[in-house]
Amino acid sequence: MKKPAATRQKEKTEIEQLSQAELVEMVLALQKIIEELQDKLAIATGNSRTTSQTSSKPPSTDLLQKPEKATVKPEADQKKKPGGQPGHQGKTRKGFGRVDRTEISSPDICLNCGSKELSEVINIHRQQVASLVAKPIEVIEYQTQSCKCLECGAVVRGEPPRGIVP
Ligand SMILES: [Zn+2]
């Protein structure tokens, strides 16, 4: 028996209507599922630290039952949906739990008096942005640094990342 083509088409349309933030969440959830499947595969090939949770059954039977429970639920159950509006980039103030790349922007001149004598970094403004890339996902932390002008005391910031709303 084959799956009706209409069902798959509908799913595809639904996916296309998701905002980027939702897509990012979906990819992250899929990555988690993949990792868990890899764990299960490790069990199957006997390379695992994990063992059968139910003592009455041999580990090999675990593979044949309920792969759905452990995988999809944890992410889906989390009530707090960051609620990205359609068209928004995937980003969060709390962070994604990982950063693949950090881009640092620091000021090199005082915009107030033109002096180049700036202090050490006195503040860092962080923005983490997740976007769909070939990797398939990359979290970039943009750090916009602030320094104090040693001449006039003005606080100057590096240039904010382009195309990203603070
Ligand atoms: Zn200055």
Side-chain angles (χ1 to χ4, degrees):
M1 68 201 222
K2 61 180 177 183
K3 208 171 182 180
T7 308
R8 301 184 58 169
Q9 190 54 49
K10 193 179 160 207
E11 285 169 5
K12 193 184 174 217
T13 316
E14 281 171 8
I15 289 167
E16 283 168 351
Q17 286 170 348
L18 293 174
S19 71
Q20 184 155 10
E22 287 168 328
L23 285 170
V24 165
E25 274 194 31
M26 200 169 95
V27 172
L28 287 173
L30 287 172
Q31 279 188 335
K32 196 172 178 185
I33 290 169
I34 289 168
E35 277 169 21
E36 283 168 0
L37 288 174
Q38 281 174 335
D39 281 350
K40 285 183 191 296
L41 189 62
I43 295 170
T45 53
N47 295 331
S48 178
R49 47 205 151 65
T50 341
T51 52
S52 175
Q53 285 158 355
T54 51
S55 54
S56 60
K57 291 173 191 166
S60 57
T61 58
D62 284 358
L63 300 168
L64 302 173
Q65 57 186 355
K66 53 182 168 100
E68 77 286 350
K69 208 176 258 175
T71 51
V72 193
K73 281 281 175 165
E75 287 283 312
D77 271 355
Q78 289 178 0
K79 293 250 167 74
K80 47 143 199 181
K81 221 185 169 193
Q85 290 81 26
H88 269 209
Q89 285 172 308
K91 57 187 174 186
T92 168
R93 286 196 180 83
K94 289 175 188 166
F96 292 97
R98 69 173 231 233
V99 171
D100 299 308
R101 191 153 60 91
T102 303
E103 296 214 347
I104 296 175
S105 164
S106 52
D108 47 24
I109 190 166
C110 175
L111 295 176
N112 192 49
C113 73
S115 168
K116 289 186 176 177
E117 298 293 318
L118 302 181
S119 73
E120 302 278 294
V121 175
I122 58 171
N123 184 45
I124 297 177
H125 176 76
R126 296 169 195 268
Q127 292 167 269
Q128 289 187 5
V129 177
S131 52
L132 295 167
V133 291
K135 257 178 111 183
I137 197 166
E138 180 182 55
V139 178
I140 305 172
E141 177 172 292
Y142 294 94
Q143 293 187 1
T144 306
Q145 300 182 333
S146 298
C147 296
K148 201 168 190 177
C149 176
L150 297 176
E151 295 290 325
C152 74
V155 174
V156 283
R157 280 180 59 168
E159 281 198 28
R162 288 188 183 188
I164 292 157
V165 186

Short mmCIF file of all heavy atoms in Angstrom, two decimals, residues 5-30:
data_model
loop_
_atom_site.label_atom_id
_atom_site.label_comp_id
_atom_site.label_asym_id
_atom_site.label_seq_id
_atom_site.Cartn_x
_atom_site.Cartn_y
_atom_site.Cartn_z
N ALA A 5 -0.32 10.63 -2.53
CA ALA A 5 0.57 11.75 -2.85
C ALA A 5 0.06 13.06 -2.25
O ALA A 5 0.83 13.95 -1.92
CB ALA A 5 0.70 11.89 -4.36
N ALA A 6 -1.26 13.16 -2.11
CA ALA A 6 -1.86 14.39 -1.59
C ALA A 6 -1.36 14.71 -0.18
O ALA A 6 -1.13 15.85 0.16
CB ALA A 6 -3.38 14.28 -1.59
N THR A 7 -1.23 13.67 0.62
CA THR A 7 -0.77 13.85 1.99
C THR A 7 0.61 14.49 2.03
O THR A 7 0.87 15.43 2.76
CB THR A 7 -0.70 12.49 2.72
OG1 THR A 7 -1.95 11.84 2.55
CG2 THR A 7 -0.42 12.70 4.19
N ARG A 8 1.49 13.97 1.21
CA ARG A 8 2.86 14.48 1.22
C ARG A 8 2.90 15.92 0.70
O ARG A 8 3.65 16.74 1.21
CB ARG A 8 3.74 13.59 0.35
CG ARG A 8 3.75 12.16 0.86
CD ARG A 8 4.70 11.30 0.07
NE ARG A 8 6.05 11.83 0.12
CZ ARG A 8 7.10 11.13 -0.30
NH1 ARG A 8 6.95 9.92 -0.80
NH2 ARG A 8 8.30 11.64 -0.24
N GLN A 9 2.08 16.18 -0.29
CA GLN A 9 2.06 17.53 -0.84
C GLN A 9 1.61 18.54 0.22
O GLN A 9 2.15 19.63 0.34
CB GLN A 9 1.12 17.58 -2.05
CG GLN A 9 1.22 18.86 -2.84
CD GLN A 9 2.66 19.14 -3.24
OE1 GLN A 9 3.34 18.27 -3.78
NE2 GLN A 9 3.14 20.34 -2.98
N LYS A 10 0.62 18.14 0.97
CA LYS A 10 0.10 19.01 2.02
C LYS A 10 1.18 19.31 3.06
O LYS A 10 1.37 20.44 3.48
CB LYS A 10 -1.09 18.32 2.69
CG LYS A 10 -1.91 19.24 3.57
CD LYS A 10 -3.06 18.47 4.17
CE LYS A 10 -3.59 19.18 5.40
NZ LYS A 10 -4.21 18.26 6.33
N GLU A 11 1.89 18.26 3.43
CA GLU A 11 2.96 18.46 4.41
C GLU A 11 3.99 19.46 3.88
O GLU A 11 4.45 20.32 4.59
CB GLU A 11 3.66 17.13 4.70
CG GLU A 11 2.81 16.23 5.59
CD GLU A 11 3.37 14.82 5.67
OE1 GLU A 11 4.45 14.58 5.12
OE2 GLU A 11 2.72 13.98 6.28
N LYS A 12 4.30 19.31 2.62
CA LYS A 12 5.30 20.19 2.03
C LYS A 12 4.82 21.65 2.05
O LYS A 12 5.56 22.56 2.39
CB LYS A 12 5.58 19.74 0.58
CG LYS A 12 6.82 20.41 0.03
CD LYS A 12 7.02 20.02 -1.42
CE LYS A 12 8.19 20.81 -1.98
NZ LYS A 12 8.02 21.21 -3.36
N THR A 13 3.56 21.83 1.73
CA THR A 13 3.00 23.18 1.73
C THR A 13 3.04 23.77 3.13
O THR A 13 3.36 24.94 3.32
CB THR A 13 1.54 23.15 1.23
OG1 THR A 13 1.47 22.31 0.09
CG2 THR A 13 1.08 24.54 0.86
N GLU A 14 2.69 22.93 4.10
CA GLU A 14 2.71 23.41 5.49
C GLU A 14 4.10 23.84 5.90
O GLU A 14 4.28 24.86 6.55
CB GLU A 14 2.21 22.30 6.42
CG GLU A 14 0.68 22.18 6.42
CD GLU A 14 0.22 20.95 7.16
OE1 GLU A 14 1.04 20.29 7.79
OE2 GLU A 14 -0.98 20.65 7.09
N ILE A 15 5.06 23.05 5.50
CA ILE A 15 6.45 23.37 5.85
C ILE A 15 6.87 24.69 5.21
O ILE A 15 7.52 25.52 5.82
CB ILE A 15 7.39 22.23 5.43
CG1 ILE A 15 7.16 21.01 6.33
CG2 ILE A 15 8.85 22.67 5.51
CD1 ILE A 15 7.79 19.74 5.83
N GLU A 16 6.42 24.88 3.99
CA GLU A 16 6.81 26.10 3.27
C GLU A 16 6.22 27.35 3.91
O GLU A 16 6.72 28.45 3.72
CB GLU A 16 6.37 26.00 1.81
CG GLU A 16 7.28 25.11 0.98
CD GLU A 16 6.69 24.76 -0.38
OE1 GLU A 16 5.50 25.06 -0.62
OE2 GLU A 16 7.42 24.19 -1.18
N GLN A 17 5.17 27.16 4.67
CA GLN A 17 4.53 28.32 5.29
C GLN A 17 5.12 28.66 6.65
O GLN A 17 4.77 29.66 7.26
CB GLN A 17 3.02 28.07 5.44
CG GLN A 17 2.30 28.16 4.10
CD GLN A 17 0.87 27.69 4.17
OE1 GLN A 17 0.46 27.08 5.15
NE2 GLN A 17 0.11 27.94 3.12
N LEU A 18 6.01 27.82 7.13
CA LEU A 18 6.60 28.07 8.44
C LEU A 18 7.54 29.27 8.37
O LEU A 18 8.17 29.52 7.34
CB LEU A 18 7.38 26.83 8.91
CG LEU A 18 6.55 25.58 9.21
CD1 LEU A 18 7.48 24.41 9.50
CD2 LEU A 18 5.62 25.82 10.37
N SER A 19 7.64 29.96 9.48
CA SER A 19 8.59 31.06 9.54
C SER A 19 9.98 30.47 9.70
O SER A 19 10.15 29.30 10.02
CB SER A 19 8.29 31.96 10.73
OG SER A 19 8.62 31.30 11.93
N GLN A 20 10.97 31.29 9.48
CA GLN A 20 12.34 30.79 9.58
C GLN A 20 12.63 30.31 11.01
O GLN A 20 13.30 29.30 11.21
CB GLN A 20 13.34 31.87 9.18
CG GLN A 20 14.77 31.32 9.18
CD GLN A 20 15.68 32.09 8.26
OE1 GLN A 20 15.32 33.14 7.75
NE2 GLN A 20 16.87 31.58 8.04
N ALA A 21 12.11 31.05 11.99
CA ALA A 21 12.33 30.64 13.38
C ALA A 21 11.76 29.25 13.63
O ALA A 21 12.37 28.43 14.30
CB ALA A 21 11.69 31.66 14.32
N GLU A 22 10.59 29.01 13.04
CA GLU A 22 9.96 27.69 13.21
C GLU A 22 10.75 26.61 12.49
O GLU A 22 10.91 25.50 12.97
CB GLU A 22 8.51 27.74 12.70
CG GLU A 22 7.59 28.49 13.64
CD GLU A 22 6.23 28.79 13.01
OE1 GLU A 22 6.16 28.98 11.78
OE2 GLU A 22 5.25 28.84 13.76
N LEU A 23 11.27 26.98 11.32
CA LEU A 23 12.09 26.03 10.57
C LEU A 23 13.36 25.68 11.34
O LEU A 23 13.77 24.53 11.40
CB LEU A 23 12.45 26.62 9.20
CG LEU A 23 11.33 26.64 8.17
CD1 LEU A 23 11.72 27.47 6.96
CD2 LEU A 23 10.97 25.23 7.73
N VAL A 24 13.94 26.71 11.94
CA VAL A 24 15.15 26.49 12.74
C VAL A 24 14.86 25.52 13.87
O VAL A 24 15.60 24.57 14.11
CB VAL A 24 15.69 27.83 13.29
CG1 VAL A 24 16.71 27.59 14.39
CG2 VAL A 24 16.32 28.63 12.16
N GLU A 25 13.75 25.76 14.54
CA GLU A 25 13.37 24.85 15.63
C GLU A 25 13.17 23.44 15.12
O GLU A 25 13.54 22.47 15.75
CB GLU A 25 12.07 25.34 16.28
CG GLU A 25 12.32 26.36 17.35
CD GLU A 25 11.07 26.57 18.19
OE1 GLU A 25 10.31 25.60 18.35
OE2 GLU A 25 10.90 27.68 18.67
N MET A 26 12.55 23.36 13.94
CA MET A 26 12.29 22.05 13.37
C MET A 26 13.59 21.33 13.05
O MET A 26 13.74 20.15 13.34
CB MET A 26 11.45 22.22 12.11
CG MET A 26 10.72 20.97 11.70
SD MET A 26 9.52 21.33 10.41
CE MET A 26 10.47 20.93 8.99
N VAL A 27 14.53 22.06 12.46
CA VAL A 27 15.81 21.44 12.12
C VAL A 27 16.53 21.00 13.38
O VAL A 27 17.10 19.91 13.43
CB VAL A 27 16.69 22.42 11.30
CG1 VAL A 27 18.09 21.86 11.11
CG2 VAL A 27 16.06 22.68 9.95
N LEU A 28 16.49 21.84 14.41
CA LEU A 28 17.14 21.48 15.66
C LEU A 28 16.50 20.22 16.25
O LEU A 28 17.18 19.33 16.75
CB LEU A 28 17.05 22.64 16.67
CG LEU A 28 17.96 23.83 16.35
CD1 LEU A 28 17.66 24.98 17.30
CD2 LEU A 28 19.43 23.45 16.45
N ALA A 29 15.16 20.17 16.16
CA ALA A 29 14.46 18.99 16.66
C ALA A 29 14.85 17.75 15.85
O ALA A 29 15.07 16.68 16.40
CB ALA A 29 12.95 19.21 16.60
N LEU A 30 14.97 17.94 14.54
CA LEU A 30 15.36 16.82 13.67
C LEU A 30 16.78 16.37 13.99
O LEU A 30 17.07 15.17 14.01
CB LEU A 30 15.26 17.24 12.20
CG LEU A 30 13.83 17.38 11.65
CD1 LEU A 30 13.85 17.99 10.26
CD2 LEU A 30 13.14 16.03 11.61
#
